[in-house]
Amino acid sequence: MGEISVNRERLDRLLADSAGTYGAPYQRAFAELARTHRGRPVTDILPLLRRAADQALLDFARQDLREQAEAISSGEPYILRVTVT
């Protein structure tokens, strides 16, 4: 399970609906990487996740993205717990 901290001012970007500009594109990018990059090294996945997060204007910490990349690489389910700061 992953846990991320999201700044209160950026919470709307993470919780955007499926037609929204921020959270939905990142969710799609994550799902696509999970489908296409299973078994690939974390170091290959990490920059792709960072780019997707940057494009969605989501401020994930390096460790948060590393945990997501590890889940994609291993094929394990990734459950995200969000803490608002």
Side-chain angles (χ1 to χ4, degrees), residues 44-71:
D44 289 355
I45 301 167
L46 202 49
L48 302 173
L49 284 175
R50 170 53 65 197
R51 184 173 355 152
D54 289 348
Q55 288 174 345
L57 301 176
L58 296 172
D59 295 329
F60 289 122
R62 171 177 269 204
Q63 183 58 34
D64 297 330
L65 290 176
R66 175 164 286 286
E67 289 176 4
Q68 292 176 40
E70 289 169 353

Side-chain angles (χ1 to χ4, degrees), residues 29-49:
F30 182 93
E32 179 65 16
L33 288 170
R35 187 180 69 73
T36 60
H37 284 66
R38 183 178 185 174
R40 303 270 308 266
V42 170
T43 55
D44 289 355
I45 301 167
L46 202 49
L48 302 173
L49 284 175

